[in-house]
Amino acid sequence: MVLHGKDKALEHIPKSSIAFISKITHVQRGISSVTMPPRDHYIIQFDHNDMKTLRGRVYETMIDFDYSQLGEGIVPATNDIHRGIRRVQIPIPTVDHLYAACLNENTKEINHLIELNRFEADDILQRLSLLSNGNTKQ
């Protein structure tokens, strides 16, 4: 599932082989699995001109990235007023939104996709820059 916020990004970036921040320029939704809930598959492209690499190296030839997540499902409602079932809205990758992408061994497959606002992205870049320079003050 698409995660949100700098805390989630700072949790997953150090565990990744490759990590970067960039805006999504194209999302193509693929076929969903027939499980319950379904697993949705996407092919995502990022803006290489605005990309900030945090770990590893992203080559210009790395254009299409695969991403999958649990899809929309139905869960029991927990509110006593509205007993029954309700649909769960799952955040999906969105064009022109800013994300941190974390990858491991497979350099085409995104393990964690974390939506950020510009302030969170700037804070992450500043924190990681301080750590790489040997300065641990925050």
Side-chain angles (χ1 to χ4, degrees):
M1 154 178 348
V2 174
L3 303 172
H4 290 274
K6 73 177 180 186
D7 292 337
K8 289 291 182 186
L10 290 170
E11 174 186 338
H12 291 289
I13 290 167
K15 301 174 189 173
S16 303
S17 300
I18 298 172
F20 59 85
I21 294 175
S22 185
K23 279 188 178 181
I24 290 180
T25 58
H26 181 75
V27 175
Q28 179 181 341
R29 187 169 180 172
I31 299 172
S32 296
S33 68
V34 291
T35 60
M36 187 45 127
R39 191 161 213 31
D40 297 333
H41 297 273
Y42 301 90
I43 296 174
I44 300 174
Q45 294 177 355
F46 293 90
D47 182 355
H48 276 264
N49 295 326
D50 190 40
M51 187 176 285
K52 306 290 188 238
T53 304
L54 306 172
R55 288 183 63 84
R57 183 163 183 193
V58 180
Y59 296 94
E60 286 294 322
T61 57
M62 296 167 71
I63 307 245
D64 294 330
F65 294 90
D66 297 325
Y67 176 69
S68 69
Q69 66 179 15
L70 289 180
E72 192 173 279
I74 299 173
V75 296
T78 55
N79 187 334
D80 288 336
I81 297 171
H82 302 289
R83 290 190 184 266
I85 58 174
R86 63 180 171 85
R87 294 184 83 58
V88 175
Q89 294 294 327
I90 303 294
I92 61 171
T94 306
V95 171
D96 288 334
H97 286 213
L98 188 64
Y99 293 88
C102 300
L103 300 83
N104 286 322
E105 294 81 30
N106 184 346
T107 59
K108 284 191 58 72
E109 184 179 343
I110 297 171
N111 297 91
H112 300 286
L113 190 63
I114 305 127
E115 188 169 4
L116 303 168
N117 64 41
R118 182 56 68 183
F119 299 109
E120 291 171 321
D122 290 344
D123 190 42
I124 289 168
L125 292 168
Q126 183 179 9
R127 285 176 187 235
L128 293 178
S129 173
L130 288 173
L131 290 175
S132 68
N133 292 332
N135 186 349
T136 57
K137 290 183 184 177
Q138 294 184 13

